Amino acid sequence: MERTDSVAIWKRPIPLSFILLAAVIVHVPLLLSKLPLHSYDATFHIFFASHYLHHWMDPWNAKWYAGFSQTTYPPLPQQWIAVLSHIFGLEMAYMAVQLAAILLLVVGVYRFARLWVNEQAASFAAMASVFLGAESFLVYAAGQLSTTSAAPIYLNALPYLFDWVRHGRWRSFLKALALFMAAAAAHHATLLFGSVFFAVPVLALAFVDRNEGEPMSTPAFVARTVSIGIAVGVAITIVLLPFWIALIQNPVTQVPIPHASRANYLLSPLLGINYFVIPYGAMILVLPFIVLRGSAVVRLRPLLFGFWLAFLIGIGGTTPVGHLVLGRAYEVLTMERFTYWATLLALPFVGLLASELVNRFRMRAVVGLTLAAASTCAMGAAWIIYKPADADQVKVDSVAGWLDRDGHDKYRYFTLGFGSGISQLATYTDADSVDGDWNSGRTLPELTEHGGAALTKSKFFAKPGLDALRAMLSHADHYGLKWVLVKDPYYDPLLSFVGYRRVDTLENGTITIWGKDGVPPAVPLNSSYKPPAWQGLMWGTLPFGSSLLAILVVLIPEKRTPREEQSDTPTPAEELEPGRLAL
């Protein structure tokens, strides 16, 4: 009897409430310390949120690129930051939204994994998501809030998609539709590419399981799949209509900008550590198990397909797969998001292996898995300290104060050597800039005709970056560009050559301000890309409204499937040999 009780304890799933508590314990201290503010893109999201805070129904933002439309980027996380900033302030509202995404990921991973593996393995997969290296990397180093917000919503939608296609329940149809809309409002790329990596395997699983329990005919499968596909397509077209209009009016035809995630990691080991070792962490050791078990078990083969495709694209230029599959989009997208999706797809396998190890080796397995998980999370969170986004953080308070006094904000400016600090500066100042950190929002020919990113990082893009800088300086009078704020003396000779002179210094001389005489005050540009008022109304209501609708719809009680009812009974032990998978 004692032996039976002992075995039963090790076979129990981890309670979801305990996993959520673990996520709070691990991530709340890091978020309260504002560690994500040191990441590459966190201040970018806060800058967008600050615009929604003051101009909710007007997506035209004059602070970057002499004016650009924020309809070029899905708004949901930034709009939630703007709403919560009334309570917490912008920075802590960012942390609150990120924490909500982390908690949603735990629930989403559990529910998604439950489609593929038993309850215990799904609970281990959810626990692994708390310590996921790619999650820590994107949250604390990359600062990709939209990606880490959309993926959990999408994962939570997939079980409803399965239930609708497999059993034809209309409640699941409505819940899947509402969650897919919210996921698209958070990040369009997650939904578009997730359809291949996540939705196709789930649909394939529904087809494989069509004869289990309540049978499903092939025509019913096709009809349900087509109906949900059409409904989701129409819904996201309406919710993100201003985005699609902006994309049609200003397609991404600018000269491609190099990105380190597209490099060959074998030839660039440091980049391989940054974009492969840190996001995967101890999961690298699980890769052989994923391939062997995924290929041996029929039900897991669709999941293996999604993982393997995302894995190959995620390693950038190491293989030609990414370029062949994505085509032109390969030159626009960054590859770390594909690595993130690959790790999410791998979590059911990780949970399955962890379950088998714990059932066999018990406490020794628990200790080993805990150490592996903790080290993986720690490396992802600490990487921004060892590899900072900006080697020397810029204090922008004094710069913003200088721009906002004595009429300096009548003219436009840009910075050199500020790195990601340009987003924080734009948040604090009332002055407008010709530079910015959202490449897809650019319309100025001086920027789009050269393969450089933000002007503030011009020297890092060699000739294309410096060509863009020279072009902008030569048209200073046209844009009312009087001020250049410099933190890197590398650019001083060029500024002197084109007629700028030093007019002031800040922060004990570490920041110099250059001005040009005779520049007329800045005037608004007549841009054809400025959204009309009706688009602003849609942008201010539908994306945010989709999240409220998703919350309400998900609260509708759902009947349990026969598969879920069977999960209440104990499952037999799962051995490490391929094919011994308890479902």
Side-chain angles (χ1 to χ4, degrees):
M1 291 290 293
E2 291 178 358
R3 176 178 172 81
T4 302
D5 292 341
S6 177
V7 172
I9 290 174
W10 291 103
K11 292 184 178 297
R12 292 175 183 171
I14 306 173
L16 190 58
S17 58
F18 181 84
I19 303 173
L20 291 171
L21 178 61
V24 170
I25 293 173
V26 170
H27 290 282
V28 165
L30 298 174
L31 294 173
L32 288 178
S33 67
K34 299 183 180 180
L35 181 61
L37 291 184
H38 299 284
S39 65
Y40 282 84
D41 290 340
T43 52
F44 158 82
H45 294 289
I46 293 175
F47 167 67
F48 270 47
S50 70
H51 179 80
Y52 290 122
L53 176 62
H54 299 99
H55 310 282
W56 185 275
M57 293 294 180
D58 182 10
W60 185 253
N61 191 334
K63 287 191 175 182
W64 277 356
Y65 307 127
F68 79 104
S69 175
Q70 289 194 179
T71 61
T72 54
Y73 194 77
L76 187 57
Q78 295 81 18
Q79 288 180 340
W80 270 106
I81 293 173
V83 170
L84 295 178
S85 67
H86 292 285
I87 303 174
F88 303 110
L90 281 170
E91 292 183 354
M92 289 309 300
Y94 176 96
M95 306 305 160
V97 172
Q98 184 62 85
L99 177 61
I102 291 172
L103 298 178
L104 278 175
L105 182 67
V106 171
V107 179
V109 167
Y110 174 80
R111 299 183 69 247
F112 176 71
R114 192 65 190 89
L115 295 175
W116 308 95
V117 296
N118 64 30
E119 192 172 4
Q120 185 192 39
S123 69
F124 278 111
M127 180 61 80
S129 71
V130 175
F131 302 93
L132 188 64
E135 178 78 2
S136 295
F137 176 76
L138 290 188
V139 171
Y140 301 111
Q144 293 192 10
L145 177 66
S146 294
T147 300
T148 58
S149 298
I153 302 173
Y154 193 70
L155 285 175
N156 277 285
L158 292 171
Y160 295 121
L161 171 66
F162 177 88
D163 192 52
W164 158 249
V165 174
R166 179 65 184 85
H167 302 287
R169 295 191 177 97
W170 284 100
R171 292 182 183 182
S172 294
F173 178 93
L174 294 176
K175 293 180 180 183
L177 179 61
L179 287 169
F180 282 137
M181 283 194 298
H187 194 228
H188 61 291
T190 299
L191 186 68
L192 295 177
F193 293 100
S195 298
V196 177
F197 301 129
F198 293 89
V200 170
V202 169
L203 293 174
L205 178 64
F207 186 76
V208 169
D209 285 353
R210 67 188 184 282
N211 294 323
E212 290 189 8
E214 179 185 351
M216 175 184 63
S217 65
T218 300
F221 170 81
V222 173
R224 293 168 185 171
T225 301
V226 171
S227 63
I228 189 71
I230 293 175
V232 171
V234 171
I236 65 173
T237 297
I238 296 173
V239 169
L240 292 181
L241 183 60
F243 169 81
W244 306 119
I245 293 175
L247 186 61
I248 294 172
Q249 289 181 337
N250 183 29
V252 185
T253 57
Q254 57 186 280
V255 175
I257 300 171
H259 194 272
S261 66
R262 305 187 200 110
N264 186 326
Y265 300 157
L266 297 178
L267 302 179
S268 305
L270 183 59
L271 295 179
I273 294 174
N274 188 81
Y275 290 109
F276 182 78
V277 176
I278 295 300
Y280 280 99
M283 192 180 288
I284 295 174
L285 303 176
V286 188
L287 295 178
F289 176 85
I290 294 174
V291 175
L292 292 174
R293 183 58 63 87
S295 59
V297 179
V298 175
R299 290 190 78 258
L300 294 179
R301 288 174 187 170
L303 184 62
L304 176 63
F305 164 79
F307 162 77
W308 193 240
L309 184 59
F311 174 84
L312 291 177
I313 296 176
I315 55 179
T318 310
T319 73
V321 174
H323 196 277
L324 292 174
V325 173
L326 300 177
R328 163 70 181 176
Y330 180 80
E331 303 294 340
V332 178
L333 299 169
T334 56
M335 298 299 107
E336 67 269 28
R337 73 189 72 233
F338 293 93
T339 296
Y340 176 59
W341 297 333
T343 60
L344 295 179
L345 288 161
L347 284 176
F349 292 103
V350 173
L352 180 60
L353 178 59
S355 174
E356 295 177 345
L357 290 174
V358 169
N359 288 336
R360 173 170 288 193
F361 301 106
R362 302 186 181 181
M363 186 54 68
R364 286 177 295 172
V366 171
V367 173
L369 291 171
T370 300
L371 292 176
S375 61
T376 298
C377 179
M379 286 192 302
W383 186 242
I384 192 63
I385 305 300
Y386 296 103
K387 191 69 175 177
D390 299 303
D392 187 13
Q393 292 288 325
V394 181
K395 296 181 179 179
V396 301
D397 294 354
S398 59
V399 181
W402 190 93
L403 287 170
D404 290 342
R405 70 172 183 261
D406 300 331
H408 296 154
D409 57 356
K410 294 180 180 179
Y411 304 89
R412 293 192 175 98
Y413 74 96
F414 70 87
T415 67
L416 293 170
F418 275 50
S420 59
I422 63 173
S423 298
Q424 189 177 23
L425 175 59
T427 302
Y428 291 163
T429 183
D430 294 328
D432 300 337
S433 175
V434 295
D435 198 11
D437 208 18
W438 171 230
N439 298 328
S440 295
R442 306 185 305 176
T443 58
L444 303 181
E446 294 85 355
L447 302 178
T448 59
E449 294 177 359
H450 303 280
L455 293 175
T456 195
K457 309 171 186 176
S458 296
K459 74 175 186 180
F460 297 107
F461 294 89
K463 186 178 183 300
L466 294 176
D467 286 346
L469 176 58
R470 293 190 188 96
M472 183 58 69
L473 289 172
S474 66
H475 297 154
D477 292 355
H478 175 69
Y479 294 113
L481 177 58
K482 186 177 182 66
W483 313 118
V484 182
L485 316 173
V486 183
K487 198 175 185 300
D488 187 344
Y490 170 88
Y491 300 99
D492 290 359
L494 175 59
L495 293 174
S496 297
F497 180 77
V498 297
Y500 281 79
R501 61 183 180 84
R502 296 185 184 183
V503 296
D504 207 343
T505 61
L506 300 171
E507 297 294 330
N508 297 320
T510 59
I511 297 176
T512 59
I513 299 176
W514 294 67
K516 184 178 181 181
D517 296 330
V519 174
V523 296
L525 299 183
N526 293 322
S527 176
S528 60
Y529 302 112
K530 187 174 182 179
W534 67 268
Q535 288 188 27
L537 179 63
M538 291 186 67
W539 202 245
T541 55
L542 295 186
F544 188 77
S546 70
S547 66
L548 299 179
L549 177 64
I551 294 172
L552 294 175
V553 170
V554 168
L555 294 178
I556 299 175
E558 185 74 21
K559 292 182 180 180
R560 304 180 68 190
T561 66
R563 175 179 167 80
E564 291 172 331
E565 293 171 356
Q566 292 173 3
S567 68
D568 291 337
T569 60
T571 56
E574 295 173 350
E575 305 296 339
L576 285 170
E577 292 84 9
R580 297 293 300 277
L581 178 65
L583 294 171

